[in-house]
Amino acid sequence: MIKAVTGTRDILPIDIPRWYQLEKIVKDVFGKFNYKEIRTPIFEVTQLFSRGIGEGTDIVSKEMYTFLDRSGDSLTLRPELTASVVRAFVEHSLDKKQGLNKLFYIGPMFRQERPQAGRFRQFHQFGAEVLGSHDPLLDAEMIIMAYDILAALGLKNLEVKINSLGVPSSRDEYKNVLREYLTQHIDKLSDESKKRMELNILRIFDSKDERDKSVMKDAPLLINYLDDESMMHFDKVKKALSNANVPFNVDASLVRGLDYYTHTTFEIISGSVGSQSALCGGGRYNGLVKELGGADLPGVGFAAGIERILLACENENSFLADDDKAELYIVTIDKTLQDFSFQAALQLRRQGLLVEIDYLSRSVKAQMREANRLDAKFVLFVGGDEFAKGEVVLKNMKSGEQVNISNENFDEIINKIRVS
Ligand code: AMP
């Protein structure tokens, strides 16, 4: 038997109503904030991600699905979408068409990570990016939208963590302070973190290694080295969140993995999903558009992991979504009338009803069982003496009431079902 590739999953029909519900809420919330959807290709040239995400990141250095195509070009399955969105923005000169671009996306991403609960190799994200404004209100807007989506899904056990990485100049100054501190403790660091000191020093804060953690516990914090402009930006974000009734905690060690962040970073954590607890993360990236060949324009965005959010919903039992119920099941009593049933179902479906018929030549009893399995609201009996008289019988499955209707009068059938 051929199985799905490790770290990938089938989303079966039984799971789909939850995906639909989540996607609807995502599109509703983004829509209300006037974000427009963008869809970019599943694969891009590898350089987009190595430049756009950064060589020193885990994603680029060890997680990308990179391959040579038959022309020898190096391509990569998208591991996240910010770089792709910015590429599309630059390629289509979207900044020339309007001053501010508010974009959202939803779709699959690919990273060769070690699979575990809540961590897959093909997973799905939704997210948003705003390109073209420095306004801290937009940093807050990202966090508010993410929070509102999670709240609309009924999630309660949430923690919003925010931090500021400031502008590059104050960060560079801080990096020197941090490097000095770490050099004093270099013997106690893991090999991985020693490497990170050169490549991506801030990421040492993310290390799960106990040796690193004990060193980082007393490390100087970037938040204490922010310049006035960065402090003001951060204060405005915090004020907007408070006014929006979004509870948050400042976490000075939240640096996130990507090289291009400036000012705000944030994550929303769920207490209901075990160790892979980050439901979403994002921040401001003021250098990225330029890095990818565009004008020197700022951006801010976030991405949220759908599988993890659905897991949190399941664990918190917060779901309302259910499959759509059949409105009508047509029981074909005489097999010779199958064409009639098929035509009747077709007409009623085209008028907007969810209708099912039998395609397995089942007995009447087995068809009734199927109607019950589908939880059909009504059953229509086609056949027997009634049909000989030009009638069909419509049964309300809840009340048990039955009425005879002319077998040509589909409007009457629809009316009876609609008023019930
Ligand atoms: P990131 O793009 O790494 O900031 O991730 C944003 C969100 O995507 C995370 O908070 C997770 O919810 C989700 N995510 C990232 N990587 C994975 C993965 N391998 N499997 C499932 N979800 C993921």
Side-chain angles (χ1 to χ4, degrees):
M1 190 187 26
I2 298 175
K3 294 196 169 168
V5 174
T6 306
T8 70
R9 293 197 318 166
D10 300 305
I11 302 164
L12 296 174
I14 192 165
D15 303 317
I16 289 291
R18 294 170 168 209
W19 283 75
Y20 280 0
Q21 187 188 354
L22 179 141
E23 287 163 12
K24 183 174 180 307
I25 289 173
V26 165
K27 289 176 185 174
D28 278 357
V29 171
F30 284 145
K32 295 281 164 19
F33 283 83
N34 195 31
Y35 285 68
K36 306 295 182 200
E37 186 172 357
I38 182 163
R39 300 185 187 188
T40 62
I42 296 289
F43 55 91
E44 301 268 0
V45 296
T46 301
Q47 217 196 2
L48 172 67
F49 301 117
S50 45
R51 270 195 19 213
I53 301 175
E55 299 281 0
T57 59
D58 285 355
I59 293 182
V60 173
S61 62
K62 46 188 187 202
E63 294 169 2
M64 293 203 304
Y65 279 100
T66 297
F67 58 97
L68 293 180
D69 75 358
R70 285 167 200 275
S71 328
D73 293 327
S74 179
L75 304 176
T76 293
L77 301 185
R78 60 194 203 184
E80 54 104 61
L81 221 62
T82 304
S84 304
V85 170
V86 171
R87 192 235 352 106
F89 170 84
V90 173
E91 186 169 336
H92 301 283
S93 307
L94 297 186
D95 54 323
K96 308 272 165 21
K97 299 180 179 120
Q98 59 195 68
L100 186 69
N101 277 270
K102 295 173 113 184
L103 305 165
F104 83 88
Y105 60 83
I106 183 162
M109 310 294 157
F110 307 85
R111 295 183 199 171
Q112 192 163 6
E113 295 194 79
R114 195 168 50 77
Q116 61 183 86
R119 203 206 269 159
F120 306 99
R121 292 181 167 177
Q122 173 171 343
F123 59 99
H124 296 75
Q125 290 185 333
F126 63 83
E129 315 286 348
V130 184
L131 297 159
S133 168
H134 288 280
D135 195 332
L137 288 178
L138 287 169
D139 307 32
E141 188 163 292
M142 288 297 153
I143 302 169
I144 294 167
M145 288 193 299
Y147 188 79
D148 281 4
I149 289 170
L150 298 175
L153 282 162
L155 289 176
K156 298 212 161 58
N157 203 353
L158 299 172
E159 185 194 358
V160 178
K161 291 186 188 176
I162 64 170
N163 189 23
S164 171
L165 302 182
V167 291
S169 56
S170 61
R171 188 156 73 231
D172 286 346
E173 189 189 319
Y174 162 74
K175 277 185 186 171
N176 289 334
V177 175
L178 182 61
R179 191 165 292 116
E180 220 164 87
Y181 169 82
L182 290 177
T183 310
Q184 286 163 22
H185 297 88
I186 194 138
D187 302 343
K188 295 181 224 145
L189 289 178
S190 67
D191 290 345
E192 183 78 19
S193 289
K194 282 181 194 147
K195 259 190 265 161
R196 281 185 174 146
M197 269 181 75
E198 302 309 319
L199 284 172
N200 197 343
I201 191 166
L202 294 182
R203 278 303 304 278
I204 302 178
F205 279 106
D206 291 343
S207 172
K208 300 274 183 288
D209 192 300
E210 288 305 326
R211 288 167 297 173
D212 296 336
K213 277 191 191 167
S214 74
V215 175
M216 296 319 279
K217 192 164 52 61
D218 300 318
L221 293 170
L222 174 49
I223 197 116
N224 299 325
Y225 290 82
L226 294 183
D227 58 291
D228 290 350
E229 181 205 333
S230 302
M231 278 316 265
M232 255 163 56
H233 188 103
F234 196 39
D235 284 344
K236 281 194 182 158
V237 176
K238 288 189 282 187
K239 190 158 158 247
L241 290 178
S242 301
N243 290 341
N245 290 325
V246 173
F248 61 88
N249 295 317
V250 174
D251 178 349
S253 66
L254 180 68
V255 293
R256 303 210 14 101
L258 310 184
D259 283 347
Y260 50 67
Y261 281 116
T262 44
H263 290 298
T264 318
T265 55
F266 78 95
E267 264 180 17
I268 303 183
I269 307 291
S270 167
S272 310
V273 289
S275 69
Q276 297 301 309
S277 60
L279 300 186
C280 75
R284 177 166 280 283
Y285 47 90
N286 284 351
L288 185 63
V289 182
K290 189 156 177 237
E291 173 66 30
L292 294 178
D296 191 5
L297 290 171
V300 54
F302 79 94
I306 297 182
E307 283 83 355
R308 277 190 210 169
I309 293 174
L310 293 180
L311 188 64
C313 289
E314 203 173 309
N315 292 348
E316 288 191 28
N317 221 343
S318 75
F319 258 115
L320 304 171
D322 225 337
D323 219 342
D324 285 341
K325 300 261 181 289
E327 287 165 297
L328 180 68
Y329 189 88
I330 300 182
V331 172
T332 312
I333 300 172
D334 294 332
K335 304 281 176 270
T336 54
L337 292 174
Q338 216 215 356
D339 283 348
F340 175 90
S341 295
F342 186 76
Q343 280 303 322
L346 185 61
Q347 284 202 38
L348 296 166
R349 287 164 175 163
R350 284 182 170 163
Q351 304 225 34
L353 291 187
L354 198 170
V355 183
E356 189 53 298
I357 61 169
D358 174 51
Y359 302 93
L360 296 176
S361 296
R362 282 182 273 214
S363 67
V364 169
K365 209 165 138 197
Q367 289 184 62
M368 285 306 287
R369 263 204 306 274
E370 182 64 4
N372 282 323
R373 194 184 69 79
L374 294 173
D375 214 357
K377 281 200 268 179
F378 283 83
V379 164
L380 191 72
F381 294 97
V382 172
D385 294 345
E386 280 81 5
F387 200 83
K389 283 189 288 177
E391 289 176 342
V392 284
V393 179
L394 182 69
K395 177 174 180 180
N396 182 327
M397 295 295 278
K398 205 157 151 212
S399 67
E401 186 198 348
Q402 299 198 18
V403 286
N404 289 24
I405 299 174
S406 152
N407 65 15
E408 286 169 1
N409 195 350
F410 291 109
D411 287 347
E412 174 82 15
I413 297 174
I414 289 175
N415 286 341
K416 285 264 181 314
I417 294 176
R418 290 250 160 92
V419 297
S420 74

